[in-house]
Amino acid sequence: MADLYPVPFPDDAAIAKLEKVSLYKLLNDDEDEAQRLFQVCKETGFFYLDMMDHPKGKQMWEDACTACRAGQDVLPRVPMQEKKLYKAPAGVRVLDQGYQTGAVKDNGQPRDSEMFMVPQSGMFGKDATSFQLPFWLAQHEGRFKAAMKTGNTVANIVLSVLERELQLPQGAFTSLHRLADSSGDFLRVLRYPGSDTAEKVDPLRFPAHKDAVSVAILFTWLGGLQIVEPQAAPAGVVTVPEDSWRWVKPLPGCAVVNLGDAMEVFTNGMLKSGLHRVIKAPGQQRVHDKYSVLIVARPEDQTPMKAFKSAVIPEDSPEQKQAEVFTSIQWGNNKIKALQDVIDKIQSARRGKSDKLERSW
């Protein structure tokens, strides 16, 4: 485990103050802990989840570590042309499958980052009998399935608490996030190659954004994730002052959990989707390859993306009542396309050409 933390997090980095929520207490219906989680989700949507105080959490931590090891095994050594053969199928998708990277160096290594996605529907859903991972990932399929299964369990623990605090019927959220549903859920392993500490940080290579998901569960061992204080990013604002960004310090045994835009939609903005970005690691951590494992829960594909009704969720405005309602899969596809368009425009304006990802649509 020590090799996942090769260098300590720097003492002089400006760190975000995140609440640490106990999985054990949530599972034991601790109302104070549920209220604390609910309050965090109304303010920032970001929190640490202590995975070591309950067997289900410990299992997920171990599964995430093994998924990380799989990434360490394949991403640096499999040739780029081979990795790029693992593509997402065409059509309305949410980046739940395939390999992605941006600019590639002359030595065949990614300049900034690379990632692969394993679709949950391909492991557990209706596609499970026909879907096949590429040979360089197939050897690790058992690890990925274990991590996705425990991830779905943990995501639904959080969702069950939120539906209760929102005075919704039992199952209002959890019935939309079942393991075998077609929903665009995925496990993603990301690699950010190490770089010289003197290299200038370029945050616009992948701009600040929010996730088109319900719940995102991140395991990471080196710095790079940044968030802003709520007052620095009011609703609708994506551009914030550079000095407002704060590092999220990885804590051993904890996942970093954030709500995505789906939860804002379902609650008419009562719950908050966390604005964030990922840049080069701070201090001496930057010279080391950074790996992250991300497991997300999204609503079932045909879920109408509109607010639920309860005594505490704000009612729709007249404009909302007239607006078109998309299904979850179309809504997610629209959100991802919009983010990709922003990235393409930034790169085109700065370089006269685009370093776009290879699209699957």
Side-chain angles (χ1 to χ4, degrees):
M1 187 65 67
D3 63 304
L4 295 177
Y5 300 94
V7 179
F9 195 87
D11 294 331
D12 58 351
I15 298 174
K17 298 178 181 178
L18 296 186
E19 294 285 337
K20 184 193 289 189
V21 175
S22 166
L23 181 62
Y24 173 84
K25 290 182 179 180
L26 294 182
L27 281 166
N28 283 276
D29 297 325
D30 186 300
E31 187 53 36
D32 288 340
E33 197 73 355
Q35 285 283 345
R36 199 159 67 89
L37 170 64
F38 189 47
Q39 188 62 37
V40 168
C41 291
K42 291 191 294 182
E43 294 175 353
T44 67
F46 266 97
F47 57 94
Y48 293 115
L49 185 61
D50 187 351
M51 311 302 289
M52 306 308 286
D53 63 358
H54 192 278
K56 290 182 179 179
K58 289 181 180 178
Q59 185 62 57
M60 188 178 182
W61 174 261
E62 293 173 4
D63 292 339
C65 289
T66 57
C68 176
R69 302 287 190 202
Q72 290 176 320
D73 177 48
V74 297
L75 285 174
R77 66 174 182 82
V78 175
M80 181 60 68
Q81 62 269 27
E82 188 65 49
K83 290 184 286 190
K84 285 188 173 182
L85 292 176
Y86 178 38
K87 298 180 180 295
V92 180
R93 306 290 297 188
V94 289
L95 289 184
D96 62 333
Q97 179 180 331
Y99 171 85
Q100 297 275 5
T101 190
V104 179
K105 295 180 179 180
D106 292 340
N107 64 1
Q109 291 296 315
R111 182 190 64 188
D112 301 308
S113 65
E114 61 179 339
M115 58 186 174
F116 63 81
M117 281 72 67
V118 180
Q120 189 164 294
S121 62
M123 298 290 104
F124 300 100
K126 60 181 177 60
D127 300 328
T129 56
S130 58
F131 175 76
Q132 287 187 324
L133 287 169
F135 73 91
W136 51 277
L137 290 177
Q139 60 185 315
H140 300 295
E141 180 176 319
R143 297 179 174 184
F144 302 144
K145 291 179 72 172
M148 283 188 282
K149 189 172 184 179
T150 53
N152 181 263
T153 297
V154 170
N156 275 293
I157 291 167
V158 173
L159 290 169
S160 67
V161 172
L162 294 178
E163 66 187 17
R164 187 171 69 245
E165 295 299 318
L166 289 163
Q167 299 180 29
L168 291 168
Q170 184 178 3
F173 290 154
T174 55
S175 65
L176 304 178
H177 299 83
R178 293 175 294 207
L179 184 66
D181 283 346
S182 178
S183 60
D185 289 8
F186 58 82
L187 175 144
R188 177 180 292 165
V189 178
L190 305 99
R191 175 191 174 222
Y192 303 86
S195 64
D196 192 288
T197 56
E199 180 180 332
K200 184 179 179 180
V201 173
D202 185 358
L204 291 182
R205 285 181 179 169
F206 197 81
H209 62 285
K210 298 180 180 182
D211 294 331
V213 305
S214 299
V215 179
I217 306 173
L218 178 72
F219 296 87
T220 191
W221 296 266
L222 295 177
L225 175 63
Q226 291 188 321
I227 65 173
V228 293
E229 301 298 331
Q231 62 272 19
V237 174
V238 177
T239 302
V240 297
E242 190 61 29
D243 60 2
S244 296
W245 289 100
R246 299 290 181 268
W247 297 96
V248 175
K249 181 180 179 180
L251 298 183
C254 289
V256 180
V257 180
N258 70 279
L259 298 189
D261 283 347
M263 301 309 294
E264 282 198 353
V265 172
F266 289 153
T267 64
N268 255 341
M270 187 174 189
L271 301 184
K272 298 298 185 286
S273 175
L275 182 69
H276 58 283
R277 69 182 187 182
V278 179
I279 63 174
K280 296 290 185 180
Q284 293 301 313
Q285 289 194 343
R286 188 180 303 180
V287 303
H288 298 274
D289 282 9
K290 167 184 165 63
Y291 288 85
S292 296
V293 175
L294 177 67
I295 300 171
V296 306
R298 299 187 67 260
E300 189 275 330
D301 283 348
Q302 300 308 311
T303 302
M305 294 306 295
K306 61 181 182 180
F308 283 76
K309 296 185 182 298
S310 86
V312 297
I313 294 176
E315 293 187 2
D316 287 343
S317 67
E319 293 77 15
Q320 286 175 308
K321 292 178 180 178
Q322 298 299 317
E324 181 178 1
V325 176
F326 293 100
T327 63
S328 172
I329 186 66
Q330 184 64 64
W331 171 85
N333 182 259
N334 293 344
K335 300 280 286 187
I336 292 170
K337 278 187 175 180
L339 177 59
Q340 183 64 68
D341 287 343
V342 170
I343 296 171
D344 289 351
K345 288 177 182 178
I346 290 172
Q347 299 300 344
S348 296
R350 298 173 72 190
R351 295 183 175 87
K353 62 179 182 178
S354 174
D355 290 330
K356 67 176 69 173
L357 296 175
E358 294 183 1
R359 296 194 183 207
S360 56
W361 44 73

